[in-house]
Amino acid sequence: MARLEAIAADLTRRYGYRPIETPLFEQVAVFERGIGEVTDVVEKELFRLAPRSEEKEAWALRPEPTAGIARAYVQHGMQTLPQPVKLTMVGPMFRYDRPQAGRYRQFWQFDVEAIGDAGPAIDAEIIELANRFYTEAGVPGIDLRLNSIGDPQCRPAYIAELTAYYRDHVADLPPLERARLERNPLRLLDSKEPRMAVINVEAPKITDHLCTACADHFDGVRAHLDALGVAYTLAPELVRGLDYYTRTTFEIFPAGETGQQAAIGGGGRYDGLVELLGGHPTPGIGFGLGLDRVLLVTRLAEGAADETAPLAVVVSADPAATADRLVVATELRAAGLRARADLSTRKLGRQLEAASRDGAHFAVILGADAAGGTQLKDLKAGTQRVVAAGDLVKELERAARTHHHGLGEAAKR
Ligand code: AMP
């Protein structure tokens, strides 16, 4: 996770995003107004906090970051700053759901928001940023699915047509979908019910109903993505689970997987959100990438690489010499190296075994010979040689810089 956070921090700095922290909980109204009342996230998945008796407001743990960030934008007068305001956050989100593989009640998102730019160029810039994050994180391949869901000009006519279509199939609709049909028929398009897949294949497509302004915007997004060489698949069924989206929506899957459960990120434009939360009409776009799922995918790809394994473990022939080992390990750590001392009083052989099991690349063996010299043993290569105490830091630094951490030719002979 720390590795992914470091990649996110470095990328967002390069792309000009500033870190923001919002509270882990907000008034429920922020989510109801922003995300929408007839959505999975608010209806079923909101982690509501039990109110104290003197409390008039209802509170909930944040299920996603965008509503809270837009609330902060309005509350702290960020519309007076140069636009767009580009903000980023990595942090935990909470959704009340049945936990299972890749679906947790607390999960981490890397989030990016650009508020105050109507696009379409920034839409492509943000999508390319998501793309680059996956590449740098080591995700072996992604499928980027792209759609436009129109705006308040063109969506009502489309929704009327979609509702009429579903009414014709009402007998086949699962209970929740039937209940939602009249209140929010768009939700039926991204329903997780397997039965809906068949019905949705024939459903009218939003991209056939875009007004000229939305169609031009969508063309613009695609032209900019093409110019950047970012590959995408058009996905007319992709409406995303949250109400605040307008125009551009996208979702990212590991290559070859499409199940909703597998999505490793998603985002879109939310030109009405700031106004819904009490601000001036302000366009915005952002994404949230699921870091837990990115970790799962990259672990599968490269085998579990342990980022915390020590470069060196300090061991010694005298089991009781814990102070000597601790002193040397402390010196190595002060010099910036990942080092550990064996603090037990077991025999040298056992100390070396433990160091190997820990994934250490080197063992620094104190008092290994009659002269009391220090040996540097490469536990991966099985080579060993004497180093002067004063050269230890330099030797390990050199080894840490080289990819394979090797001791060099001299040690192999
Ligand atoms: P969403 O806004 O629901 O599309 O969420 C954005 C991303 O967060 C998804 O693409 C997932 O990668 C991740 N995500 C959403 N819900 C969960 C969850 N319950 N557990 C783990 N990751 C999640």
Side-chain angles (χ1 to χ4, degrees):
M1 195 59 85
R3 182 179 67 91
L4 295 182
E5 282 191 44
I7 295 170
D10 178 52
L11 269 178
T12 48
R13 188 182 52 76
R14 278 190 266 158
Y15 282 68
Y17 286 79
R18 288 166 183 235
I20 182 172
E21 294 287 343
T22 65
L24 298 188
F25 58 93
E26 296 269 351
Q27 290 185 15
V28 168
V30 170
F31 304 124
E32 281 176 348
R33 259 186 274 155
I35 299 168
E37 289 180 54
V38 190
T39 56
D40 274 354
V41 166
V42 170
E43 275 188 327
K44 295 198 295 186
E45 296 170 4
L46 210 54
F47 248 104
R48 292 170 191 270
L49 301 176
R52 297 170 65 105
S53 51
E54 71 274 17
E55 188 78 70
K56 281 194 220 61
E57 314 291 355
W59 303 88
L61 297 179
R62 63 185 185 196
E64 59 86 52
T66 309
I69 291 178
R71 192 263 313 139
Y73 176 93
V74 173
Q75 192 171 350
H76 299 290
M78 293 190 216
Q79 68 276 4
T80 61
L81 301 174
Q83 305 290 300
V85 175
K86 293 161 76 180
L87 300 168
T88 182
M89 174 161 94
V90 172
M93 307 296 150
F94 305 86
R95 293 188 194 175
Y96 191 83
D97 201 349
R98 196 164 51 83
Q100 49 197 288
R103 179 170 294 272
Y104 311 116
R105 288 179 169 180
Q106 174 170 349
F107 59 98
W108 269 257
Q109 276 192 5
F110 162 37
D111 183 77
V112 150
E113 311 289 347
I115 306 180
D117 185 332
I122 194 141
D123 303 36
E125 186 183 57
I126 273 200
I127 292 171
E128 192 276 334
L129 168 53
N131 219 33
R132 191 167 299 278
F133 175 79
Y134 293 118
T135 305
E136 296 202 358
V139 175
I142 61 162
D143 182 13
L144 177 82
R145 303 181 67 78
L146 180 71
N147 194 22
S148 170
I149 58 166
D151 68 3
Q153 294 301 313
C154 49
R155 212 161 15 184
Y158 168 69
I159 288 177
E161 191 167 320
L162 188 65
T163 309
Y165 172 80
Y166 284 129
R167 281 193 193 129
D168 288 345
H169 294 80
V170 75
D172 301 327
L173 296 179
L176 180 67
E177 278 63 20
R178 200 176 304 171
R180 283 181 172 178
L181 168 56
E182 301 301 330
R183 294 199 295 160
N184 195 344
L186 275 185
R187 291 288 79 79
L188 276 63
L189 274 183
D190 60 7
S191 160
K192 291 169 196 142
E193 278 281 339
R195 253 191 294 168
M196 290 302 294
V198 187
I199 301 172
N200 282 338
V201 172
E202 299 285 317
K205 294 184 180 15
I206 177 76
T207 36
D208 296 333
H209 294 76
L210 295 178
C211 58
T212 312
C214 285
D216 287 350
H217 184 273
F218 196 34
D219 287 346
V221 175
R222 289 157 59 189
H224 282 82
L225 286 174
D226 293 342
L228 289 171
V230 174
Y232 54 86
T233 314
L234 292 179
E237 77 292 345
L238 181 73
V239 291
R240 305 265 303 137
L242 318 180
D243 273 1
Y244 56 58
Y245 287 111
T246 51
R247 296 191 168 171
T248 312
T249 56
F250 53 94
E251 225 154 56
I252 303 106
F253 294 86
E257 294 193 50
T258 51
Q260 193 58 38
Q261 201 79 322
I264 50 175
R269 182 161 276 291
Y270 45 83
D271 292 347
L273 179 60
V274 170
E275 196 178 1
L276 273 176
L277 294 174
H280 302 297
T282 311
I285 182 163
F287 64 60
L289 313 188
L291 296 186
D292 309 78
R293 291 188 193 170
V294 170
L295 269 187
L296 286 175
V297 176
T298 51
R299 284 220 183 106
L300 289 178
E302 62 191 41
D306 186 353
E307 295 154 22
T308 57
L311 175 70
V313 173
V314 184
V315 300
S316 65
D318 175 4
T322 46
D324 293 349
R325 301 199 286 269
L326 192 52
V327 166
V328 173
T330 303
E331 282 166 8
L332 296 179
R333 294 191 282 235
L337 297 167
R338 230 162 49 239
R340 195 171 68 67
D342 192 310
L343 299 181
S344 76
T345 50
R346 55 196 159 190
K347 291 203 177 102
L348 177 59
R350 286 290 170 79
Q351 296 178 40
L352 284 169
E353 272 171 34
S356 291
R357 263 205 314 276
D358 227 19
H361 205 125
F362 296 101
V364 174
I365 310 172
L366 307 180
D369 50 34
T374 298
Q375 296 262 0
L376 189 56
K377 182 177 172 74
D378 184 328
L379 295 167
K380 308 268 176 193
T383 53
Q384 184 167 335
R385 67 186 164 97
V386 176
V387 284
D391 290 342
L392 192 56
V393 166
K394 207 170 56 194
E395 283 290 333
L396 281 170
E397 276 175 344
R398 193 174 58 75
R401 274 197 303 274
T402 62
H403 179 63
H404 48 81
H405 297 188
L407 280 181
E409 287 308 306
K412 288 193 190 122
R413 281 196 291 270

